[in-house]
Amino acid sequence: MGQEIAEIARFLSSTAPFDALGRDVLAALSRKITIFYYRADEMILQAGQHNDRLFIVRSGAVELRLAGEELTARLAAGSCFAYPSLLRGGEIHNAVQALEATLVYALPGKQFLALREEHPVVREYFAEDESARIRHALRKRETEGHSKLDTTHVSSLTRRQQLVSGLPGMTIRAAAQLMRDHDVSTLPLCEGELLVGIVSDKDLRNRVLAAGLPGDEPVSRVMTPDPQTLSAEHSVGEAMALMASGGFRHIPLLDENGQLAGIVSATDILAFLGHNAIDTGMAIARAKTPHALVKAALRIPDSFARMVRQGLSAAHAMRFTSALGEAVHRRAAELVEAELGPPPVPYALVVFGSLAREEQLVGSDQDNGLVISDRGDEAAEGYFGTLGARISDLLDACGFVYCKGGIMAKNADQRLTASDWRTRYADWVERPDEDRILRATIFFDMRCVHGERRLVEELRKDVLAMAAASSIFASYLARDAQRSRVPLGIFRNLVLENAADGTKVFDAKAQAIMPIIDIARTQALAYGIVATGTRERLHALAAVGRMDKGDAQSLEDAHLLVNELRIRHQAEQLRGGAEPDNLIAPATLSPLERDYLKDAFKVIRSGLDSLRRNFAGGIA
């Protein structure tokens, strides 16, 4: 008997959340456990009956069916079941059946509830719903000391007493003297309490001395007008992403009243991090030749891996990598324009998909196009044909490989006038079918990264109005979302695929991340939400009462949780010299991570079910 109790304790010590408990607690629990054996296909619990035990799969596998009908999960060794019934008073909702010869441990409900009351780690693990457990997983990461880039306010890197500002009407000489006297490399320029510009040492070198500009000219001639700013409460990670995107080294900070509160520089962040992760963005922005741009862009994977090691969260890792991708696209367009000469009519370089949503990671292909002014003629068509082809070729060399679906500016279909883009979107919205919707969804995540933004803003405004006016279009989007093969659980061969080496894997992007993107996109378009990012769409839907706040938060948490696993997986691949992908082997995850992943799948399936009921007529 003593050997059997020791074996139970040994198993619990390697099974979440019991592995966080002390030896004495595990020994006491082990004495309370009863062991049951079930043959293949034998019923363990019936829906509707009363339950008074927590069950833990010791070996074998079980299947859960809601009300005895709808398959909801399959669980293998180390998984727990039947605890929701204990938390709500005993009534069982899911029938449980052994799929094969199965051994389970059963802990009396009285001991389980006492354990949950006494130990926060058990209480948080056995929360009443999946959403609470996912939030616990994300909070745990934040408290483990790995997210200082996310949790440190950028204002903490500056010292307010050093803040000095000038007037845009002062002379260049007076501005330089003011910077010298206060030993600052950047001078914000204000009219009253309003920040109107910024001038730096680099501006004095390049725009004054190198250009031979007299020192008695107004400094407004050489300042950067309307600089991008951040709130003093933004994180260091957000400041890094903004610097990387724009290729600049200084960001003015504003307080809660919109007044200048300080200047944060790349040097400040360097001192905080111990290495300059912004250098890649600077190298991209400063690239003078295509060769220099390629060299700078190929540093992005290493920058990504370093950011993950530094503890950047999923949200900021995606934002930072997207910022670098945006910078590469912008600089590629600028360099090609420099070769070809100025464009004959205004145009915009737009990106679609993950880069448009600012959710891109490494290894992504290019998805882009050109929106051209309606004033163009045949000569303009020739110019933009060459421009689009060279931009796509340069991006491919930079690591943004050609899109297999042809969604890139080198193809004439993605190089249209604003009117032709409107006609194309109207055709998708007004005459949808399953095949066309499958190919078109990516185009409804669109953002301008270079050129005439007004063209894109007006186009997006019209597209949103079209989409919001068509319930049929929303229905097709909702049905398309149901194509996702969301796993029922990480269980042996269930909805797993074979990697090149035969390893069983699941596709984190296709099976978990894309369904959440689809849910947010469908509802955002149906209700005319302007936001493009998944997180921003969920927030906006909740804010206007179109989605329950709890449901929106659960989907956001699931999105971040799966991306955390995906980002870590890709960073490990890069460190090993492999090409990054989205295929994660469940065997590489801890039991706790697999449990959290199962919770995420349940949240996603619930979101898809809601989408089907509300937009797809309950069919799909």
Side-chain angles (χ1 to χ4, degrees), residues 24-242:
D24 292 343
V25 176
L26 291 180
L29 280 181
S30 301
R31 293 186 179 92
K32 300 291 184 181
I33 281 177
T34 304
I35 303 174
F36 291 95
Y37 171 79
Y38 297 92
R39 297 183 302 276
D41 299 325
E42 186 175 356
M43 293 301 299
I44 300 174
L45 295 171
Q46 293 279 4
Q49 76 182 72
H50 183 83
N51 174 52
D52 59 1
R53 293 170 177 168
L54 168 73
F55 293 87
I56 308 165
V57 181
R58 175 62 182 86
S59 62
V62 301
E63 183 176 85
L64 278 64
R65 289 184 177 273
L66 182 63
E69 301 291 335
E70 181 184 352
L71 179 64
T72 59
R74 286 174 173 167
L75 308 176
S79 297
C80 301
F81 62 91
Y83 61 87
S85 59
L86 295 175
L87 298 178
R88 61 174 169 258
E91 183 183 355
I92 295 172
H93 290 176
N94 283 296
V96 184
Q97 183 177 19
L99 285 173
E100 57 189 62
T102 300
L103 204 64
V104 299
Y105 292 158
L107 179 68
K110 182 179 179 181
Q111 275 72 38
F112 166 70
L113 294 174
L115 190 72
R116 189 172 177 272
E117 183 67 27
E118 294 169 11
H119 298 278
V121 65
V122 177
R123 182 166 59 253
E124 289 169 338
Y125 182 85
F126 292 108
E128 294 189 24
D129 58 49
E130 298 83 13
S131 303
R133 287 194 294 274
I134 295 172
R135 279 194 292 276
H136 165 64
L138 295 173
R139 285 198 306 271
K140 182 180 178 182
R141 183 189 186 282
E142 292 177 358
T143 58
E144 286 177 343
H146 300 302
S147 57
K148 64 179 182 178
L149 293 178
D150 301 329
T151 57
T152 304
H153 290 166
V154 70
S155 57
S156 67
L157 307 189
T158 66
R159 289 175 291 179
R160 185 169 184 127
Q161 59 267 32
Q162 291 184 334
L163 182 61
V164 59
S165 64
L167 300 172
M170 68 193 311
T171 65
I172 294 172
R173 182 176 296 105
Q177 291 170 343
L178 186 61
M179 294 168 68
R180 178 202 60 195
D181 294 343
H182 291 272
D183 192 25
V184 294
S185 60
T186 304
L187 184 68
L189 302 169
C190 301
E191 289 181 346
E193 297 177 347
L194 179 66
L195 176 71
V196 296
I198 190 171
V199 65
S200 67
D201 283 345
K202 178 183 174 182
D203 295 326
L204 296 179
R205 290 195 308 270
N206 296 344
R207 300 177 183 177
V208 180
L209 293 177
L213 200 65
D216 56 1
E217 289 287 323
V219 72
S220 58
R221 282 197 59 183
V222 297
M223 74 179 185
T224 299
D226 301 320
Q228 295 199 55
T229 63
L230 285 177
S231 159
E233 302 305 307
H234 271 93
S235 70
V236 174
E238 186 65 23
M240 288 175 56
L242 188 57

Side-chain angles (χ1 to χ4, degrees), residues 70 482 519 604-614 618:
E70 181 184 352
Q482 307 301 319
I519 292 167
I604 296 167
R605 286 202 306 276
S606 176
L608 287 172
D609 288 344
S610 176
L611 196 67
R612 183 179 67 247
R613 290 192 304 270
N614 296 326

Side-chain angles (χ1 to χ4, degrees), residues 11 15 43 58 72 114 250 297 341 426-427 456 463-464 488 502 539 586:
F11 179 76
T15 303
M43 293 301 299
R58 175 62 182 86
T72 59
H250 299 86
D427 193 47
V456 182
V463 169
L464 286 172
L488 292 165
H539 284 197

